[in-house]
C-alpha cells in the first residue's frame, strides 16, 4: 500500500470527572453526555483509533499497521515490541484522582503491559487552576501509607498553579493529579495502568467508592520531590519556516509545539512516524496528491518515510514522534 497521511477518529471515554468541552469546542461527535478523554492516537486494547480517509478508511490504525512492513513506524521504533505511543485530549471538569504509574519492570511483572511515563501540555485552563506534581518534601513509605489511610495525603502533595502552554514531565513513579478546570494534551507510553491512592470520597457508577490501589502505589511511588525535566536536546530539524518549541524529549517520545502562520514545510523521515493534534485554528496538509484539512481537535498519523509535506493555515498544534 502506498504511504499517505491519515486523519484519525478517536475512541472516547466518559469518566465521571469529565466535562463537555471536547464535544462543544473540539468537535468530538458522540452520544455520551460527557467526554473525559479522547484517545487521539491509540493502538491499545482499551481503545483503538480508526482511520478516516484513503484506502484504509474504516480500519483501525492497529490493524493497518499489522499489515505493513515495520518500516512505516521508523527506525527509532524498532526497539519497542509494541506500538509505543498513546496521545489523549483530557477535559478535567472535576479533579482527577491522585495517582501514580509504574515503570516498565514493575508493570510487565505485575500487570502484563509496559509502564507509563507521560507529559502534559496545558491546552487551556480556568483562572486559579492547579495540579498535583509530586511531594512538597521527601516522606517515608510509612508516612505515605498512614496519610493514605487517614485522608491527609493532600497536605504533603505539591500543588502547582498552571497556565496555558505549561508543560509537565511525569516520569513513572511520580505522584500526580490533574486538577479541575484544565484541558490537557497528554503524550504517554502506550499503557493504561494507573494506581489510585486518593479519590475525594467519590462514588463510581455502581454507587460504591472507586477502587484504590494502595499496596501497588506504595511499591512504585517516588517519595522525593520531582527533579528537573530531562534535558531537552532533541533537534528541531524536521521543520522549515516554522515556529517550533521543543516540549519534551526522552527515550519514549519527542514532542514539539508548532505555531503555523502561512505555509510550513515539514518532513516525515525514515526515523519515526509523526502525529500532530490541532489545538487551535486549522491547517491544510498536502503530501503528494493528498490534501486534508485538520481542524481544532483533529489528529493525524504520518507514516515514517512519507517524506516532505506542507501545512498551510493558522494553527497551534502539538507534534509527537519517537
Amino acid at each position: 500500500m502506498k504511504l499517505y497521511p491519515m486523519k484519525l477518529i478517536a475512541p472516547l471515554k466518559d469518566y465521571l470527572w469529565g466535562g463537555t468541552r471536547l464535544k462543544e469546542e473540539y468537535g468530538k461527535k458522540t452520544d455520551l453526555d460527557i467526554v473525559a478523554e479522547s484517545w487521539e492516537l491509540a493502538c491499545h486494547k482499551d481503545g483503538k483509533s480508526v482511520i478516516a480517509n484513503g484506502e484504509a478508511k474504516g480500519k483501525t490504525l492497529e490493524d493497518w499497521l499489522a499489515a505493513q512492513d515495520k518500516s512505516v513506524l521508523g527506525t527509532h521504533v524498532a526497539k519497542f515490541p509494541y506500538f509505543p505511543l498513546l496521545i489523549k485530549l483530557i477535559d478535567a471538569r472535576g479533579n482527577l484522582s491522585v495517582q501514580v504509574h509504574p515503570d516498565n519492570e514493575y508493570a510487565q511483572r505485575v500487570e502484563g503491559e509496559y509502564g507509563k511515563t507521560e507529559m502534559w501540555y496545558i491546552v487551556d485552563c480556568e483562572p486559579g487552576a492547579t495540579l498535583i506534581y509530586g511531594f512538597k518534601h521527601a516522606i517515608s513509605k510509612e508516612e505515605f501509607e498512614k496519610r493514605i489511610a487517614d485522608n491527609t495525603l493532600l497536605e504533603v502533595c505539591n500543588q502547582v498553579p498552571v497556565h496555558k502552554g505549561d508543560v509537565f514531565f511525569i516520569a513513572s513513579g511520580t505522584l500526580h493529579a490533574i486538577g479541575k478546570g484544565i484541558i490537557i494534551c497528554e503524550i504517554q507510553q502506550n499503557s493504561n495502568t494507573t494506581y489510585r491512592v486518593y479519590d475525594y470520597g467519590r462514588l463510581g457508577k455502581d454507587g460504591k467508592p472507586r477502587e484504590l490501589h494502595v499496596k501497588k502505589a506504595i511499591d512504585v511511588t517516588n517519595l522525593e520531590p520531582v527533579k528537573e525535566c530531562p534535558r531537552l536536546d532533541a533537534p528541531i530539524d524536521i521543520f522549515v519556516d516554522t515556529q517550533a518549541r521543543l516540549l519534551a524529549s526522552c527515550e519514549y517520545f519527542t514532542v514539539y509545539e508548532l505555531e503555523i502562520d502561512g505555509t510550513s514545510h515539514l518532513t516525515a523521515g525514515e526515523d519515526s512516524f509523526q502525529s500532530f493534534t490541532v489545538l487551535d485554528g486549522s491547517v491544510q496538509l498536502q503530501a503528494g496528491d493528498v490534501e486534508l484539512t485538520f481542524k481544532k481537535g483533529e489528529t493525524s498519523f504520518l507514516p515514517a518515510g512519507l517524506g516532505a509535506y506542507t501545512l498551510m493555515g493558522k494553527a497551534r498544534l502539538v507534534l509527537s514522534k519517537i
Side-chain angles (χ1 to χ4, degrees), residues 135 139-149 153 175 197 214 217-218 221 223:
F135 294 95
I139 65 171
S140 66
K141 281 193 174 185
E142 292 74 22
E143 181 180 356
F144 187 34
E145 186 171 15
K146 181 179 183 298
R147 287 187 176 275
I148 294 170
L153 181 62
L175 194 76
V197 294
V214 175
I218 291 171
T221 300
L223 300 175

Side-chain angles (χ1 to χ4, degrees), residues 62-74:
E62 184 177 68
D63 285 346
W64 182 80
L65 289 171
Q68 309 305 310
D69 185 89
K70 290 184 178 180
S71 63
V72 300
L73 291 176

Side-chain angles (χ1 to χ4, degrees), residues 85 117-119 169 187 249-255 321:
L85 274 191
T117 284
E118 62 193 21
M119 64 143 283
F169 185 83
I187 292 86
S249 58
C250 66
E251 62 182 306
Y252 304 115
F253 46 73
T254 295
V255 185
K321 64 193 290 285

Side-chain angles (χ1 to χ4, degrees), residues 256-268:
Y256 306 89
E257 174 195 58
L258 304 185
E259 296 283 351
I260 307 297
D261 190 1
T263 300
S264 294
H265 300 273
L266 301 92
T267 302

Side-chain angles (χ1 to χ4, degrees), residues 278-316:
V278 178
L279 303 177
D280 283 309
S282 66
V283 290
Q284 184 178 33
L285 179 151
Q286 185 164 13
D289 58 357
V290 177
E291 292 187 3
L292 292 171
T293 298
F294 288 85
K295 299 178 293 185
K296 179 178 178 178
E298 294 186 326
T299 293
S300 70
F301 176 81
L302 308 173
L306 178 69
Y309 65 97
T310 59
L311 296 177
M312 294 164 284
K314 187 173 178 62
R316 175 174 57 119

Side-chain angles (χ1 to χ4, degrees), residues 14 82 100 139 153 169 206 227 239 247 257:
D14 63 345
Y82 65 111
V100 67
I139 65 171
L153 181 62
F169 185 83
D206 60 1
K227 292 184 172 61
F239 322 112
L247 302 181
E257 174 195 58

